[in-house]
């Protein structure tokens, strides 16, 4: 038995891009994150048995908006490390997407699993 929490389609604007011109304006990013909780506890209607969604949303938003990154990969790694420092979990998967970067695609991005 495994227990997960997830946030899907979290939208955050961030200064991100390979060139300084690209980083000069905030771009919309989409985040999907899934976190496997440690242990095999049954949820007992107690927030202490899980990870608070709002805490994860705040971490993602803070990291993405208060820093500049060239790569989505770096942004994802920093988010995962920040969550790891504040929350105990078994595994994590984050998907970060930028839209309209390549004209023939709706989104491009990365998926990082730890």
């Amino acid at each position: 038995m495994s227990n997960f929490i997830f946030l899907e389609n979290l939208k955050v604007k961030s200064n991100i891009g390979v060139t300084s011109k690209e980083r000069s304006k905030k771009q919309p990013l989409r985040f999907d994150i899934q976190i496997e909780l440690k242990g095999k506890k049954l949820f007992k209607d107690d927030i202490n048995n899980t990870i608070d969604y709002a805490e994860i949303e705040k971490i993602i938003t803070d990291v993405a908006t208060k820093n500049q990154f060239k790569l989505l990969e770096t942004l994802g790694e920093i988010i995962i490390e920040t969550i790891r420092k504040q929350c105990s979990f078994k595994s994590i998967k984050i998907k970060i997407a930028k839209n309209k970067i390549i004209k023939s695609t709706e989104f491009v991005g990365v998926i990082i699993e730890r």
Side-chain angles (χ1 to χ4, degrees), residues 17-18 26 38 42 73-74 78 95-96 105:
V18 173
K26 292 195 179 285
K38 277 191 172 177
L42 294 175
E73 292 86 343
T74 307
I78 298 296
K95 175 181 173 183
I96 309 171
T105 66

Side-chain angles (χ1 to χ4, degrees), residues 3-98:
N3 294 316
F4 296 83
I5 67 157
F6 72 93
L7 282 75
E8 190 169 299
N9 203 23
L10 173 63
K11 296 174 185 169
V12 179
K13 290 191 175 185
S14 181
N15 294 89
I16 192 160
V18 173
T19 66
S20 58
K21 182 180 178 184
E22 194 178 4
R23 289 189 308 277
S24 69
K25 63 178 183 169
K26 292 195 179 285
Q27 298 180 59
L29 300 177
R30 287 178 43 181
F31 295 84
D32 296 335
I33 189 164
Q34 178 178 297
I35 302 172
E36 182 178 8
L37 304 175
K38 277 191 172 177
K40 297 184 182 199
K41 296 184 215 175
L42 294 175
F43 293 113
K44 302 278 187 188
D45 206 25
D46 182 348
I47 192 68
N48 295 314
N49 291 333
T50 189
I51 297 173
D52 188 349
Y53 310 115
E55 185 177 350
I56 301 304
E57 184 270 341
K58 182 176 181 345
I59 290 169
I60 293 170
T61 301
D62 285 351
V63 171
T65 60
K66 294 180 180 178
N67 300 281
Q68 286 192 11
F69 298 98
K70 292 181 180 177
L71 301 175
L72 294 174
E73 292 86 343
T74 307
L75 171 58
E77 292 290 353
I78 298 296
I79 289 170
I80 289 170
E81 268 311 302
T82 304
I83 293 170
R84 186 182 314 278
K85 288 177 185 174
Q86 296 182 31
C87 305
S88 180
F89 60 86
K90 184 174 180 181
S91 67
I92 189 166
K93 178 179 180 179
I94 187 167
K95 175 181 173 183
I96 309 171
K98 290 171 77 170

